[in-house]
Amino acid sequence: MALAALQSRFVPAFLGARQLALDVAEDFLSERPRWIVWAPVLIGIGVGGYFFLDTEPPPWSGGLACGVLLILYLVCRHAQQAMQHFVLALLLMAAGFAAAQFRVLTHTAPILAKRIGPVAIEGQLVSLERLDTGARLLIAPHSIDRVEALNIPERVRVKLLGKTAGDGLQPGDTIRLRGVLMPPPGPVMPGGFDYARMLWFERIGAVGFAYGPPQRLVRESAPDIFRRGEIWLAALRDRLTQRIIAAIPGEAGPVSAALMTGERGAISAPVNLAMRDSGLVHLLSISGLHLGFLAGIVFFGIRGALALSESVALRYPIKKWAALAALLGTFLYLFISGASIPTVRSFVMTGLVLMAVVFDRLGISMRLIAIAAAFILLSAPESLHNASFQLSFAAVIALVAMYEWVSSRQTQRADESGVIVRGARYVGGLALTSLIAGLATAPLIAFHFHRIGMFSLLANMLAVPLTGLWIMPWAVAAFALMPFGLERLALYPMGIGVEWMISIAKQVAALPGATAMVAQPPLISLLLAVGGGLWLCLWSRPWRWFGLVLLAGGLLLAPFGPRPDILVDGEGKLIAVRGPDGGMLLNSVRTAKHARSEWSKAEGVALSLPAAATSSHAACDAQACMFTGRDGWIVAYVRDGMALAESCRSADIVIANILVRGCPSAKLLIDRFDLLRGGAHAVWFEHPRPRVETVAGQRGHRPWTAAVE
């Protein structure tokens, strides 16, 4: 009886599981034409695996893995298809790992070991970014006081204060200035954005600020063709930016320059804030939207002009000529705008679409996106962690998936609708496009920026058509007129359109509840959301809807992000402690501005975390602060050794900005030496001992962490 009961219970379950596995295998095999679009996902897994390591792997490991797997793939060509495809998947992941490793090996450059200054810095000005409050210089230094020649960073970034700080300077100048330099800053909290890693891949080994304006010594040519080209392009962008700003007065000038040359530094803080809160900040970064507008304007403009001549239109392939002209225009726009990751992605995709026109092939498709993603991941693997890369591909993948789904259900019939109906369809299509792009990028925006524009759909429905139908056509005309010095004829009407766009942004941002702050979601939430989105968009059969389950899982886990009970910055100047009410309290609202801002965003606070002085759960004086934390934990922050003895008698956790020999009563002691060695700390109130994570522990020993090892 017992055996029969077991059989009746488990045999159906086994058969059901077997049938499910067969159904999944059948769906997978039927999706064979879509397998190729998963190639960049596998490459990305390999890239992510490399950057996840906390120690540098042997330099030969990636290449060896690729070689072994390639041989194994060739051997398995006549074996079962399942084995062949499995090896191919491993090969693509190994290719991503090897590409990241090769990129690191070829980008090794010195990093400044510690803060120095004031020191004299002399070198060649590589590029100049004019800001609303000053200028930011990228310098290739020849000499830095108190730094040996072998340890001089290849590039340093120095900020000048004052609206006229960069006047008279041009890329290519040799300059001398006095300033303070420091190693590129790491994350302000464990798991935070690694600014130092981003700068390391740009070969920037130090950042700092200058005392007073730099002295221009002489105009110097670059020592090699690559830097000479970089300096020439930077000088061209700077000249174009200045001409645009000079031609368009007010706030519209810097925004117009951002749309044409990619230089956003001169945009004022209020305009940046309005664009961000309204959900229009993507219009300030040259990406697929702008490249698509430019390509379309050039393509249809030249094709229409050539069609005016009947003999030319009938005898020559004017459509292909227009496609080649649009390709040239987008290529020039790519370099003038600085060739950012979204722009490169857009250029690759736009270029493939235009070449498809030339060779009479199908235009945009998911395969085209896969080619662009694979190209970027193999050539610049570090872009995987770049928010612009993630947002750009999330939006375009979702939109193409929607286009494919709608196209597969449309019937071929002549459209005899009137103007009103066609206009309504256009507005509906625009709204749907904005909605899909907004939903696709929302998890990434929440993870990276902790802020979501609640009325971004409204703002985009107003601003995107304005950009495509008015602003960008005048921008193209301005580019065409610049060689003749007549760009003002086009920049003036363009400026009017940009003023309208800024007005839309300000009015939408001023609406009640225009923005919603989001606390830091856990990484697993983002991975589930991204995985679910890819599953939903990349497959074509009904099993794609399983991606909604993964998406739902990611959204459900979003509120359960890492919530440290104590945060301490790497210099020991700022501490935040979670009080009994669940909110974080700061010891100061004047110091460590960047850390304060990032901690507030991670907590989902719009402005800033409150100061300890405003709460009954903390007391501070010139020597120390005493906090009553969640669950009754007592936390002491010590600035002066005179307060150490009392703190060690009453506090469960002692954070000291001084060196401490011992504090027997404390369950946890973090002193100045721990902060210097580990960087920013995060602490959780757990029994019997608090749990601690450090920035250094999470970053490990990698080339971009050499300055703090």
Side-chain angles (χ1 to χ4, degrees):
M1 294 293 294
L3 180 60
L6 288 174
Q7 288 179 341
S8 64
R9 178 178 300 178
F10 290 108
V11 169
F14 172 77
L15 294 176
R18 180 175 178 273
Q19 185 60 44
L20 177 63
L22 291 174
D23 291 342
V24 170
E26 181 182 356
D27 283 335
F28 181 72
L29 292 174
S30 66
E31 292 270 19
R32 187 184 184 105
R34 304 285 287 190
W35 291 357
I36 186 65
V37 302
W38 284 91
V41 178
L42 297 172
I43 294 172
I45 292 173
V47 172
Y50 171 81
F51 285 110
F52 182 77
L53 299 175
D54 57 5
T55 56
E56 196 65 21
W60 42 263
S61 56
L64 178 63
C66 285
V68 171
L69 288 169
L70 178 59
I71 294 173
L72 186 59
Y73 176 74
L74 295 175
V75 170
C76 293
R77 281 187 305 172
H78 303 294
Q80 290 185 350
Q81 283 192 351
M83 175 61 70
Q84 185 179 357
H85 296 319
F86 177 72
V87 174
L88 179 59
L90 293 179
L91 178 59
L92 289 171
M93 288 189 278
F97 187 96
Q101 192 172 37
F102 178 78
R103 180 79 164 171
V104 168
L105 291 173
T106 56
H107 269 66
T108 300
I111 302 176
L112 194 67
K114 61 181 180 180
R115 179 185 175 120
I116 57 172
V119 293
I121 308 164
E122 183 176 317
Q124 187 175 33
L125 181 60
V126 177
S127 67
L128 169 66
E129 183 181 5
R130 303 178 193 274
L131 308 175
D132 183 44
T133 57
R136 187 158 46 217
L137 311 181
L138 182 63
I139 303 170
H142 303 154
S143 64
I144 301 175
D145 285 354
R146 304 203 301 269
V147 179
E148 296 181 2
L150 291 176
N151 297 325
I152 294 177
E154 187 172 327
R155 304 281 175 87
V156 299
R157 181 176 286 173
V158 179
K159 189 173 183 179
L160 306 178
L161 295 178
K163 288 187 175 294
T164 61
D167 290 355
L169 296 178
Q170 294 182 9
D173 291 344
T174 297
I175 60 174
R176 180 187 294 125
L177 52 82
R178 287 189 63 80
V180 173
L181 293 177
M182 59 200 78
V188 297
M189 59 186 293
F193 178 70
D194 198 342
Y195 189 62
R197 180 176 63 191
M198 182 189 76
L199 293 184
W200 189 85
F201 280 101
E202 298 176 14
R203 299 182 182 273
I204 298 175
V207 297
F209 57 90
Y211 291 107
Q215 178 185 0
R216 184 173 182 270
L217 301 179
V218 68
R219 181 90 177 158
E220 179 184 297
S221 0
D224 59 73
I225 189 171
F226 296 105
R227 191 191 295 174
R228 190 179 299 119
E230 181 182 10
I231 289 174
W232 178 85
L233 182 59
L236 174 63
R237 293 180 69 198
D238 184 59
R239 289 195 300 271
L240 294 179
T241 300
Q242 293 310 301
R243 288 171 65 174
I244 295 166
I245 293 177
I248 303 177
E251 295 177 327
V255 175
S256 300
L259 296 175
M260 294 181 67
T261 66
E263 291 286 357
R264 298 174 52 183
I267 300 175
S268 66
V271 172
N272 268 318
L273 183 63
M275 297 294 286
R276 183 189 67 184
D277 290 349
S278 64
L280 295 180
V281 71
H282 65 95
L283 294 179
L284 299 180
S285 299
I286 295 176
S287 59
L289 183 69
H290 306 77
L291 236 70
F293 282 149
L294 183 137
I297 292 165
V298 174
F299 176 81
F300 289 109
I302 291 182
R303 188 182 182 188
L306 293 175
L308 294 176
S309 172
E310 183 178 353
S311 59
V312 172
L314 294 176
R315 294 182 181 180
Y316 301 102
I318 60 173
K319 182 179 179 181
K320 298 181 180 182
W321 288 5
L324 291 174
L327 180 62
L328 176 61
T330 53
F331 178 78
L332 295 175
Y333 192 35
L334 168 72
F335 278 93
I336 290 175
S337 63
S340 64
I341 293 298
T343 318
V344 172
R345 187 270 306 165
S346 305
F347 174 74
V348 173
M349 293 185 59
T350 305
L352 290 173
V353 170
L354 293 172
M355 292 308 295
V357 173
V358 173
F359 292 105
D360 299 316
R361 301 294 182 185
L362 181 65
I364 191 167
S365 67
M366 201 65 78
R367 288 194 177 195
L368 188 149
I369 299 173
I371 293 172
F375 172 79
I376 293 176
L377 287 172
L378 292 174
S379 59
E382 70 277 8
S383 61
L384 178 68
H385 296 282
N386 192 305
S388 63
F389 171 88
Q390 297 172 14
L391 292 169
S392 177
F393 275 100
V396 75
I397 287 172
L399 291 174
V400 171
M402 181 195 71
Y403 168 78
E404 290 180 339
W405 186 78
V406 171
S407 298
S408 66
R409 281 155 177 77
Q410 281 184 339
T411 57
Q412 298 293 330
R413 69 174 192 267
D415 189 357
E416 300 177 355
S417 304
V419 175
I420 296 178
V421 174
R422 288 199 296 269
R425 287 178 181 173
Y426 170 78
V427 173
L430 180 62
L432 181 61
T433 298
S434 299
L435 179 63
I436 294 296
L439 291 175
T441 56
L444 295 164
I445 292 174
F447 185 84
H448 290 289
F449 306 112
H450 317 294
R451 182 188 297 262
I452 297 178
M454 303 305 293
F455 300 115
S456 60
L457 177 61
L458 171 63
N460 278 278
M461 287 185 64
L462 296 173
V464 171
L466 174 65
T467 304
L469 299 176
W470 182 268
I471 295 175
M472 287 304 296
W474 287 115
V476 174
F479 276 128
L481 294 172
M482 275 183 175
F484 310 102
L486 301 175
E487 66 273 9
R488 288 177 181 268
L489 298 176
L491 289 176
Y492 179 76
M494 178 185 175
I496 295 174
V498 171
E499 288 177 354
W500 294 340
M501 182 176 71
I502 295 173
S503 177
I504 292 170
K506 289 183 176 180
Q507 292 183 44
V508 172
L511 294 174
T515 59
M517 296 300 299
V518 181
Q520 179 70 50
L523 180 60
I524 184 63
S525 170
L526 178 68
L527 294 178
L528 284 174
V530 171
L534 290 172
W535 192 273
L536 179 64
C537 294
L538 297 188
W539 295 128
S540 60
R541 291 179 61 84
W543 73 326
R544 69 191 304 178
W545 302 111
F546 175 72
L548 293 176
V549 177
L550 297 177
L551 276 169
L555 294 177
L556 290 174
L557 290 176
F560 302 98
R563 299 288 186 274
D565 293 305
I566 302 175
L567 287 169
V568 190
D569 80 314
E571 295 185 355
K573 296 180 179 179
L574 189 68
I575 179 174
V577 179
R578 193 174 303 281
D581 60 355
M584 297 286 273
L585 297 173
L586 294 171
N587 67 303
S588 171
V589 291
R590 296 181 179 178
T591 188
K593 179 180 178 181
H594 178 60
R596 278 189 288 118
S597 174
E598 293 301 309
W599 293 359
S600 299
K601 292 176 184 176
E603 280 291 306
V605 176
L607 298 176
S608 176
L609 296 172
T614 64
S615 173
S616 60
H617 302 300
C620 292
D621 57 30
Q623 296 178 335
C625 285
M626 194 70 71
F627 297 86
T628 300
R630 181 178 61 84
D631 297 337
W633 286 78
I634 305 300
V635 181
Y637 169 66
V638 180
R639 300 189 188 92
D640 192 301
M642 302 203 43
L644 184 63
E646 180 181 353
S647 299
C648 283
R649 282 195 299 268
S650 57
D652 301 305
I653 298 174
V654 175
I655 314 293
N657 198 16
I658 58 175
L659 296 177
V660 180
R661 292 182 179 273
C663 190
S665 64
K667 295 180 180 179
L668 175 65
L669 169 65
I670 300 173
D671 69 354
R672 182 63 181 160
F673 178 75
D674 295 321
L675 295 171
L676 289 173
R677 182 178 56 184
H681 281 55
V683 181
W684 284 261
F685 295 147
E686 294 182 1
H687 294 284
R689 293 185 61 83
R691 178 166 62 92
V692 181
E693 290 184 6
T694 67
V695 164
Q698 287 197 349
R699 296 175 84 199
H701 300 280
R702 308 304 298 271
W704 47 88
T705 68
V708 295
E709 292 178 5

